[in-house]
Amino acid sequence: MRMNDWPEGWSGDNRGSGYGRGSANARPESARVMRQVRRGATPPPGPGPSAPPYGAGVPQQPSYTDGQGHGGDGYDSGYNTGQVYGGGGGGQGPGRQVRDRPAPDWRRRIKWTAITVVTVLVVTTVGTYFWADSKLNRDVDLSKVIDRPAAGEGTNYLIVGSDSREGMSKDQMKDLHTGYAEGKRTDSMMILHTGDNGSTLISLPRDSDVEIPSFVGSESGKKYPGTGRHTKLNAAYAEDGPELLVRTVEHNTGLRLDHYVEIGFGGFANIVDAVGGVEIDIPQDIKDKKSGADLKKGKQTLDGQEALAFVRTRYALAGSDLDRTKNQQKFLSALASQVATPSTVLNPFRLYPTMGAGLDSLVVDKDMGLFDLASMFWAMKSVSGGEGTSMNMPISGSVGGNLKWDDAKVKKLVEELKNDEKVTVSGNN
């Protein structure tokens, strides 16, 4: 039998009414098994791909015109978007909810950030204030001072540098050349006036000749009548401490003192070291065995030990105590300027050690507050910046080896300070 002699229905060229081997149905097997999904409108007549060689009963399949598995009518099978079987594709289609992320509310964020920063600053400031306030040694009671002058305009501070060695070891005393004497005496005394017409810093030489007035003992409470006795100013402190010193200064000047501030040797050196040293221009070479000073002329930064030696030196200076008071004023003003710089105030690693060193070693009156102390430092800073006046108490000569004040000039100076006027009196500079 030849191939073209196969019975009808077995030939691929003449399928007749059947499809495939043994088919008895005019419908193709594929049409019976799987319903065809219509994917769009019937394309218009025209040239197109030839029908597959399956016979006249097979419907024409869709054309994949866009190369992505679907026609140009926009139909999507779901494979490209991940939607088959509820898949989690990245497209937007049936079975997937897409939520847009809201835009950041920057106003709200900035608002709460600002609130947080302000809260932290307030808490830190308040905490620092109470910490610092608790460290002040308010040991001087000015209410014990009797027969005080009337208060004037502005504020007057008595600033005292003592030779107190409290808290210092023997090695420290040796390094700082302080000696080993017990107790304490005044090493320097200054009046600082602050007011609307600038600040005035007046040094009181320790060898000033003064009268010891009547006073009440700071410890005993006993009243000691004045006898007209004259002595050096630093002897008043040695006799009955800060209260008698205040009483003596007020009696001999007629100026009421509002606050008292004292610092010892060790505390002074610690403050200088805490701020990283103080830059100062030294007017001459200084070498003094008693103070330990060995300094060259010119601008330089002094550490605590060098600074203490500088402000204590007097025997190597031509003007002795008067020249020393000038150096003390100059250095204290420079120290105040250094403490008030942003590099100290805004740096907690320098600010807190400086405050700790200073507050631990300061002795103040019972009415002294942190704001008063801050005002004092700012006033001293203004003096060093040229906005104030620094001077020695006017001296007219000497009596019995002590320095005698110029009574007329002192009276004029005190009047100007009481009235908070610009100082016109010149001292021994």
Side-chain angles (χ1 to χ4, degrees):
M1 179 183 291
R2 293 178 303 178
M3 291 296 292
N4 58 0
D5 291 335
W6 284 101
E8 184 180 356
W10 285 42
S11 172
D13 297 327
N14 186 11
R15 294 186 177 89
S17 62
Y19 178 80
R21 184 176 180 179
S23 176
N25 197 313
R27 298 178 63 193
E29 183 176 307
S30 60
R32 288 187 288 108
V33 175
M34 181 182 294
R35 175 172 292 182
Q36 177 64 37
V37 179
R38 190 171 187 83
R39 307 199 178 205
T42 302
S50 302
Y54 301 126
V58 179
Q60 185 177 358
Q61 298 300 309
S63 174
Y64 286 54
T65 59
D66 62 356
Q68 298 181 3
H70 52 78
D73 56 4
Y75 178 84
D76 187 354
S77 65
Y79 285 99
N80 293 312
T81 61
Q83 298 305 313
V84 178
Y85 306 117
Q92 297 182 8
R96 176 175 177 82
Q97 286 186 332
V98 178
R99 296 180 179 177
D100 293 334
R101 178 178 295 177
D105 188 346
W106 290 108
R107 288 185 179 181
R108 181 181 179 86
R109 291 187 181 185
I110 293 173
K111 171 186 174 182
W112 283 107
T113 299
I115 291 175
T116 301
V117 171
V118 171
T119 300
V120 170
L121 288 176
V122 169
V123 171
T124 302
T125 302
V126 172
T128 300
Y129 175 85
F130 283 106
W131 166 77
D133 189 71
S134 67
K135 294 179 75 67
L136 276 177
N137 300 307
R138 297 183 174 92
D139 297 336
V140 179
D141 188 358
L142 295 184
S143 66
K144 295 179 179 179
V145 180
I146 62 174
D147 300 333
R148 308 193 68 185
E153 300 293 329
T155 304
N156 300 308
Y157 301 83
L158 180 62
I159 303 172
V160 175
S162 75
D163 65 359
S164 172
R165 299 157 178 82
E166 185 176 353
M168 297 173 61
S169 66
K170 288 187 176 181
D171 287 340
Q172 288 175 315
M173 294 179 192
K174 181 179 179 181
D175 292 339
L176 297 176
H177 297 270
T178 64
Y180 304 97
E182 295 182 358
K184 57 182 180 179
R185 288 150 292 278
T186 52
D187 202 62
S188 61
M189 291 159 283
M190 303 178 190
I191 294 175
L192 174 66
H193 173 83
T194 65
D196 295 335
N197 283 291
S199 302
T200 303
L201 186 62
I202 307 164
S203 287
L204 309 176
R206 57 184 291 177
D207 294 338
S208 297
D209 184 78
V210 294
E211 179 186 352
I212 301 296
S214 58
F215 67 97
V216 174
S218 58
E219 297 294 336
S220 65
K222 179 181 178 181
K223 184 171 182 178
Y224 296 88
T227 60
R229 173 170 56 101
H230 279 246
T231 185
K232 294 181 179 181
L233 181 59
N234 66 341
Y237 183 96
E239 188 171 331
D240 197 50
E243 288 84 357
L244 179 54
L245 178 60
V246 171
R247 168 75 174 124
T248 302
V249 172
E250 289 186 341
H251 175 76
N252 285 268
T253 62
L255 183 68
R256 186 184 181 97
L257 301 174
D258 301 291
H259 292 294
Y260 177 93
V261 181
E262 176 187 327
I263 187 169
F265 283 163
F268 179 82
N270 289 340
I271 293 176
V272 174
D273 287 334
V275 298
V278 175
E279 185 179 73
I280 191 169
D281 191 358
I282 299 178
Q284 66 181 75
D285 291 347
I286 299 176
K287 191 172 183 65
D288 185 358
K289 290 184 178 180
K290 290 193 174 183
S291 69
D294 188 5
L295 305 169
K296 299 298 182 181
K297 178 181 179 180
K299 185 176 292 186
Q300 56 199 284
T301 298
L302 305 184
D303 62 20
Q305 179 178 339
E306 294 168 334
L308 183 61
F310 175 68
V311 299
R312 293 184 60 223
T313 296
R314 63 169 175 163
Y315 294 105
L317 304 176
S320 188
D321 202 36
L322 291 177
D323 283 348
R324 183 175 73 156
T325 57
K326 297 175 188 177
N327 288 341
Q328 290 171 346
Q329 286 183 350
K330 186 175 183 178
F331 187 85
L332 287 178
S333 296
L335 174 60
S337 295
Q338 180 66 29
V339 170
T341 58
S343 63
T344 299
V345 175
L346 300 179
N347 183 354
F349 298 102
R350 180 170 288 180
L351 174 63
Y352 286 98
T354 301
M355 292 179 66
L359 296 173
D360 280 340
S361 55
L362 288 178
V363 176
V364 300
D365 65 90
K366 294 185 180 297
D367 295 327
M368 186 78 160
L370 287 179
F371 289 110
D372 299 311
L373 194 61
S375 296
M376 183 192 80
F377 271 97
W378 280 108
M380 293 184 68
K381 180 178 182 297
S382 70
V383 170
S384 67
E387 300 174 8
T389 302
S390 60
M391 58 184 291
N392 276 319
M393 185 66 83
I395 303 296
S396 62
S398 62
V399 53
N402 299 336
L403 297 174
K404 181 156 183 5
W405 292 351
D406 187 319
D407 293 336
K409 287 187 175 182
V410 170
K411 182 178 180 181
K412 177 66 174 176
L413 173 63
V414 170
E415 287 179 356
E416 292 175 340
L417 295 178
K418 278 187 174 182
N419 296 325
D420 194 23
E421 299 172 349
K422 186 174 180 58
V423 172
T424 60
V425 177
S426 60
N428 296 77
N429 293 326

